[in-house]
Amino acid sequence: MEEKGTRLFQVDEETFDYGWNIVELETRRQLRLKVNELLRLVNDPTCTTSEMQQHLLYNKARFGKQLATRLVHTLPRSDSRERQSIVWLLTLLNEAASITPLRRMSGNKQLPRPVRLSASLALAGMGATPEVLDERRQTRLYAIS
């Protein structure tokens, strides 16, 4: 028996699927379940924005950047209400790690247009669009007379 009940899966020679640690797989499963729970909470009318932010901060402390990454990966859904909920969660979370994948998604012509628009909307909610960033970089000069 392996140490502390963990073992590595064997490498499949045909698919070159490298082994995952069982603990890592369980953590990924818990993260996926937590994201689904957060999506259910978004539609709960008794959950306030501040409560949702507390849930997000707790889970961000628990899972780190993987939470934002998982939210980005769940964005390409066919249901517009689910995409809207994910965009809102990404906006509330405002994680810098999600900006690059969202930019890639918004510019990927192979993705459906609603998914690209949702990615762009999440970027806009986080203040990470090129227009906002350029506006922040501009130096404004004022004349005082």
Side-chain angles (χ1 to χ4, degrees):
M1 186 115 174
E2 297 287 329
E3 188 174 312
K4 295 186 181 180
T6 62
R7 65 179 176 85
L8 289 177
F9 290 110
Q10 301 298 319
V11 176
D12 186 1
E13 298 293 331
E14 292 178 15
T15 62
F16 296 104
D17 185 26
Y18 293 97
W20 289 93
N21 188 317
I22 290 177
V23 175
E24 291 173 342
L25 288 174
E26 182 62 25
T27 303
R28 286 175 180 250
R29 183 178 147 300
Q30 289 174 357
L31 176 60
R32 193 174 55 249
L33 292 172
K34 188 52 72 174
V35 166
N36 289 334
E37 180 184 327
L38 288 170
L39 288 173
R40 279 192 299 275
L41 279 174
V42 167
N43 297 320
D44 183 6
T46 61
C47 187
T48 64
T49 302
S50 61
E51 289 173 344
M52 184 58 69
Q53 285 176 326
Q54 289 176 351
H55 285 291
L56 285 170
L57 288 176
Y58 170 77
N59 289 303
K60 182 179 176 183
R62 183 176 173 197
F63 296 108
K65 293 179 182 179
Q66 291 177 343
L67 177 64
T69 303
R70 184 71 204 162
L71 282 170
V72 170
H73 285 292
T74 58
L75 192 59
R77 296 204 176 178
S78 59
D79 186 14
S80 64
R81 296 174 87 192
E82 286 180 347
R83 278 195 317 274
Q84 185 178 18
S85 299
I86 295 166
V87 166
W88 188 61
L89 288 172
L90 284 166
T91 303
L92 283 178
L93 188 59
N94 201 8
E95 176 68 40
S98 62
I99 292 173
T100 302
L102 285 171
R103 282 188 182 152
R104 273 190 244 125
M105 286 178 91
S106 66
N108 187 351
K109 299 288 185 186
Q110 294 177 348
L111 290 173
R113 187 169 187 262
V115 173
R116 293 193 319 259
L117 290 174
S118 294
S120 296
L121 185 60
L123 286 169
M126 294 174 7
T129 59
E131 295 82 11
V132 172
L133 294 174
D134 287 342
E135 185 176 302
R136 288 180 189 165
R137 289 183 194 137
Q138 281 182 341
T139 306
R140 296 180 188 235
L141 303 172
Y142 297 98
I144 300 174
S145 57

